[in-house]
Amino acid sequence: SGCGTFTFLSSAIAAVSGLLMGYELGLISGALLQMSSILALSCKEQEIVVSSLLFGALFASLTGGFLIDRFGRRLAIIIASSLLVLGSLILLPYESYGILIVGRIAIGISISLSSIATCVYIAEIAPQHRRGLLVSLNELMIVIGILFAYISNYAFASISHGWKYMFGLVIPLGALQAIAMYFLPPSPRFLVMKNNDEAARKVLERLRETSDATKELTVIKSSLKDEHQYSFLDLFRSKNNMRARMLVGLTLVFFVQTTGQPNILFYASTVLKSVGFQSNEAASLASTGVGVVKVVSTVPATVFVDQVGSKTFLCIGSSVMAVSLVTMGLVNRNIHVNFTSVCRSQPPEDFFLQRPGNVTHVTNGSLKDLFASMASPERLSFDAQRSPDVARTGEPNRTALAGGKSTTGSHMESEETPVVLKWLSLASLLVYVAAFSIGLGPMSWLVLSEIFPGGIRGRAMALTSSMNWGINLLISLTFLTVTELIGLSWVCFIYTIMSLASLAFVIVFIPETKGCSLEQISMELAK
């Protein structure tokens, strides 16, 4: 009851934002391979190309909250889709470094704005017993988008100007979403905030497929009346427990990043290569295999969240992540991984990546900058930079520079690794990815869309989102330095401790919200 075809359709159209976002994140690794040779980009310039999306996203997450609370969730999604189309169109006709930066910043603003607006919009139109499913739909679309990006990286890798096709593919989808969103109803809670009760009642009747939505409307009105007086600064005051809620939101986002998902995955190929997998095998496993595992494990989380509850999934995810990280750390202790040589200087022949019609040349000593540059912005960033193109060269001694991973065989000095350890390492990596995809991946964003009062939900989500982008940048840029200092297995152990800390945090501080309306959750948390 209450979740008719129309509600599902509205949520699905809004969740297309997730697909576009995942695609844009996964895309850059393949596109950069081609662009860096066409535009002869230095390492620093490649770093700026990758980070420009992040700066756009950080900017939008700081300012987007006010836009969402002032002009509405639906309008914000329409603006974001249009901006994505515009940013992609800017990139296509020109082959210039400056234009590339401008286009990527526009796309960064777009995906950041749409990711906040979509979660809030879906949470507000969904009936309480189906909210988890519908909000998690967005996360499912993100991982599908990443998988599509990998496929398009493969498909266009050897085509001349293939990067233009990669960037161009999202244009029709973004335009269609903007047009479709125009015909969807605004969020009923937003209409009540704007004192438009009659319109809100009509929207609720359409969404719930009922002739009388007065009861739900009354609940929304009474809760918004109490909430509407919030200002942005109230998020940091003790009134109605707002400061505590904000801290819960920020800490949750902190754990999403510090449990290491962006980095372990980002270097999946390198890690697998170093434990004895051959180049093409490792590269294709890391990108497409990880992409498939993410999609497959996000599905049950999305389908069962309303029965099981987000808190349970968060606990399961964090526990399994801790176990798989310990396994990975122990396996890596028993394999002599010479990980540091990845970022140190390489013999000259390794600076040429032989590919049809493309030679990437990198000067000595700049590899480390290059690695740091590949660190990508979003909570899904890890997937962004692993390019499947190494698989094509099939040569273990080449450095897939622009793809952000060095898979040089000669410098991964590991003795012949026992087969058991080799497969154990891969299995623990995939289990780790799966655990993140049922726990912290989708559930943290569901919890964030629930714990803040409606009148200030957009701004609160935007604040947690900017923390997310900021920490991600910081962690991604320090990963190699830390790994060089303490070794990979200790990095795994640190991430294990963070996973256990996140488990404790979830048990103590995260409320169980399944089956409750947003108003009930807000009243409970205000106590």
Side-chain angles (χ1 to χ4, degrees):
S1 68
C3 184
T5 323
F6 183 63
T7 309
F8 187 77
L9 190 69
S10 304
S11 306
I13 291 171
V16 169
S17 301
L19 187 75
L20 297 171
M21 174 169 153
Y23 184 81
E24 287 294 349
L25 287 170
L27 175 77
I28 189 68
S29 60
L32 203 58
L33 272 175
Q34 295 192 347
M35 293 185 305
S36 56
S37 65
I38 295 170
L39 302 175
L41 299 179
S42 71
C43 287
K44 198 74 198 156
E45 287 169 336
Q46 291 185 39
E47 189 171 325
I48 292 169
V49 169
V50 174
S51 323
S52 56
L53 181 116
L54 169 64
F55 290 118
L58 196 53
F59 170 74
S61 63
L62 292 169
T63 53
F66 294 96
L67 186 74
I68 292 166
D69 284 340
R70 171 73 52 85
F71 300 109
R73 292 72 164 117
R74 183 186 64 140
L75 190 63
I77 298 174
I78 293 174
I79 292 170
S81 308
S82 314
L83 197 58
L84 183 84
V85 171
L86 193 69
S88 304
L89 283 171
I90 292 172
L91 291 171
L92 295 187
Y94 306 102
E95 285 181 8
S96 104
Y97 173 62
I99 298 284
L100 188 60
I101 301 296
V102 174
R104 291 298 284 173
I105 289 176
I107 291 170
I109 292 173
S110 153
I111 63 176
S112 174
L113 182 64
S114 70
S115 69
I116 308 166
T118 304
C119 282
V120 174
Y121 178 77
I122 298 177
E124 294 188 344
I125 64 169
Q128 60 198 53
H129 59 282
R130 283 280 173 270
R131 188 177 57 247
L133 168 75
L134 295 175
V135 173
S136 304
L137 199 62
N138 189 47
E139 179 75 19
L140 181 63
M141 292 291 237
I142 291 175
V143 291
I144 292 173
I146 288 173
L147 194 57
F148 277 162
Y150 289 155
I151 294 167
S152 94
N153 282 349
Y154 267 127
F156 298 116
S158 49
I159 295 174
S160 159
H161 295 295
W163 62 276
K164 292 196 173 188
Y165 299 107
M166 295 179 198
F167 283 125
L169 277 178
V170 292
I171 294 175
L173 194 56
L176 277 173
Q177 190 201 17
I179 294 163
M181 285 302 298
Y182 178 77
F183 295 103
L184 292 183
S187 149
R189 284 177 176 79
F190 176 72
L191 289 170
V192 173
M193 270 163 61
K194 295 290 172 225
N195 299 321
N196 199 342
D197 295 0
E198 190 47 40
R201 192 172 56 79
K202 284 182 177 148
V203 168
L204 276 171
E205 283 166 7
R206 275 184 78 190
L207 288 170
R208 302 288 176 262
E209 295 180 350
T210 165
S211 53
D212 185 25
T214 321
K215 192 174 155 195
E216 191 175 350
L217 186 66
T218 316
V219 176
I220 291 174
K221 276 171 70 175
S222 67
S223 91
L224 279 176
K225 196 166 74 225
D226 303 334
E227 291 171 357
H228 203 56
Q229 74 278 20
Y230 288 120
S231 72
F232 182 67
L233 290 175
D234 286 332
L235 285 173
F236 306 99
R237 297 187 180 126
S238 55
K239 176 169 132 187
N240 285 352
N241 255 352
M242 285 307 288
R243 188 191 300 146
R245 296 193 213 186
M246 196 67 225
L247 284 173
V248 165
L250 291 175
T251 313
L252 196 57
V253 166
F254 173 76
F255 281 125
V256 169
Q257 296 298 340
T258 53
T259 47
Q261 190 79 357
N263 293 323
I264 291 276
L265 279 184
F266 174 48
Y267 294 101
S269 283
T270 316
V271 173
L272 290 178
K273 184 79 187 57
S274 67
V275 299
F277 281 88
Q278 288 316 300
S279 168
N280 46 3
E281 189 185 355
S284 24
L285 272 174
S287 52
T288 316
V290 164
V292 170
V293 168
K294 286 193 77 61
V295 173
V296 170
S297 41
T298 306
V299 171
T302 305
V303 174
F304 296 115
V305 59
D306 291 305
Q307 290 79 28
V308 179
S310 51
K311 182 168 184 168
T312 316
F313 271 126
L314 281 168
C315 291
I316 295 170
S318 297
S319 322
V320 177
M321 274 164 73
V323 174
S324 58
L325 281 164
V326 166
T327 315
M328 223 185 308
L330 291 172
V331 169
N332 287 330
R333 276 196 87 65
N334 291 319
I335 299 171
H336 299 290
V337 182
N338 191 352
F339 201 80
T340 55
S341 60
V342 177
C343 8
R344 299 256 164 83
S345 58
Q346 311 261 352
E349 76 270 14
D350 272 350
F351 291 112
F352 290 89
L353 169 60
Q354 255 64 44
R355 291 202 34 199
N358 150 359
V359 176
T360 312
H361 180 260
V362 177
T363 53
N364 206 353
S366 52
L367 253 183
K368 187 156 177 186
D369 298 287
L370 179 66
F371 264 111
S373 77
M374 304 290 77
S376 143
E378 188 23 74
R379 63 197 153 120
L380 288 156
S381 60
F382 26 95
D383 294 307
Q385 317 318 339
R386 279 169 323 203
S387 151
D389 288 279
V390 191
R392 295 171 170 267
T393 65
E395 290 185 51
N397 264 2
R398 299 281 167 234
T399 313
L401 291 170
K405 55 186 184 298
S406 163
T407 45
T408 42
S410 55
H411 301 286
M412 287 301 185
E413 297 143 20
S414 54
E415 292 95 48
E416 191 48 50
T417 311
V419 176
V420 179
L421 288 182
K422 186 165 104 167
W423 288 102
L424 196 59
S425 184
L426 173 65
S428 56
L429 180 78
L430 293 180
V431 169
Y432 170 66
V433 174
F436 182 85
S437 302
I438 65 163
L440 283 168
M443 297 308 149
S444 46
W445 298 95
L446 172 61
V447 171
L448 288 175
S449 69
E450 296 175 335
I451 60 175
F452 298 112
I456 199 168
R457 191 171 289 131
R459 281 162 289 177
M461 286 280 287
L463 190 62
T464 51
S465 173
S466 53
M467 167 118 168
N468 182 57
W469 296 87
I471 298 182
N472 192 304
L473 179 64
L474 192 69
I475 289 179
S476 303
L477 291 178
T478 54
F479 177 70
L480 275 171
T481 325
V482 174
T483 308
E484 266 194 68
L485 285 172
I486 62 175
L488 188 65
S489 51
W490 281 106
V491 172
C492 289
F493 294 144
I494 290 173
Y495 290 155
T496 306
I497 295 168
M498 294 315 267
S499 301
L500 292 171
S502 80
L503 176 63
F505 170 77
V506 167
I507 292 171
V508 178
F509 293 106
I510 300 286
E512 182 52 88
T513 53
K514 66 174 175 190
C516 305
S517 70
L518 291 174
E519 286 68 36
Q520 287 166 325
I521 295 169
S522 202
M523 280 163 60
E524 275 302 305
L525 289 173
K527 291 174 186 170

